[in-house]
Amino acid sequence: MALQAQSLAVRQLTLKDFRNYADLRLDVASQAIVLTGENGAGKTNLLEALSLLAPGRGLRMASFDELTRHGAQGGWAVAAKIMAAGSDITLGTAYDGGPADARSAPRRTMIDGIPRKSSGSLARYMRVLWLTPAMDRILSGPAGDRRRLLDRLATAMDPDHQARASNFDKLLRERNRLLVKGAHDPLWLASLEHRMAEEAVALAAGRVASIATLKTHLKPESSPSFPWVNLTLDGDLERDLETTPAVQVEDRYRRMLSDSRTLDRAAGRTLKGPHRSDLNVVHGPKGLEAAACSTGEQKAMLIGMVLAHAKAMKNTIGGMLPVLLLDEVVAHLDLERRSGLFRELRDLGAQCWLTGTDRALFGNMDDHTEFYAIKEGVLAPIG
């Protein structure tokens, strides 16, 4: 099937010394790309490279030093030519190498050959959603995992959301450091808390808006193949914003931060704020909390959420569909669910990249799907 003009689509991907890829250039033209191969062949590595064309640390949250190919000198580079709204754009990101503890070291970003100050600028050109096997239990795991999922979904809707999350996190760490240190300028701490309150409410408001939009596509009739889910936000600021003007919520949180300094200093961290919020997910047809559902049901719920989110983006951002990265997504799905997934992906119109160990799992995909076999970081097209 030909790509829709509104879709984001990777037309060409180039990797240099990334994970197990020494040099790779891949040209694609289809809506769906399937990568098959044994475990460890490099399928997920390629999806990880694609995920780095958006802000953040990619689908594995790895430090940039970890991404450099073993034995390579220096760092790594990822570049892509993408089609967005009928125009061709070249995106690039690279890491030049650094000390062993390089988690906070920056990566370089270029758009159409022009250097940009941060990877946050990528969000205006590239929207990516992904599912990986590591996310199969995210709905019943720690709250922080669901919070990061929520913020990725919100960033896909609003490119500025990631910057708000990063800004709040930096301010939060600075406040915690000052409180633990003990000796600090009260005026400086008050100024810091003032900025924290601004960023916190903006961050919470972005989450509320994202969930509200997503819920319009999470209904019993939304997907014939995957269960709909009921989503609620469990966070003080998020709840307050549903009934109270943002400026008042901001004032309340600022006062709370000031009043809780002694308690937070004793705890060694800030105890309240959007960094403590959670996303509650309930299996709609069964009315069960996600934690009470089987692993298979949770995976089906996640797939349904990602498909609904892509549909929401299609209808709310000028038809800007995200690129979907679906790592081993068909594993453990029965034939009916696999067929339903492929049908919904085709109808959605987004470019999707799927991986799996067995080519036979994708036997009933669209005839225009591109298939590649991967072995030790080398790709070969297959029929």
Side-chain angles (χ1 to χ4, degrees), residues 50 90 111 161 196 242 249 275 289 369:
L50 287 165
T90 300
I111 298 174
H161 186 84
M196 278 184 67
E242 294 180 359
V249 177
H275 60 296
E289 294 281 347
T369 299

Side-chain angles (χ1 to χ4, degrees), residues 28 56 70 150 234 362:
V28 296
H70 181 69
L150 172 60
D234 183 9
F362 305 93

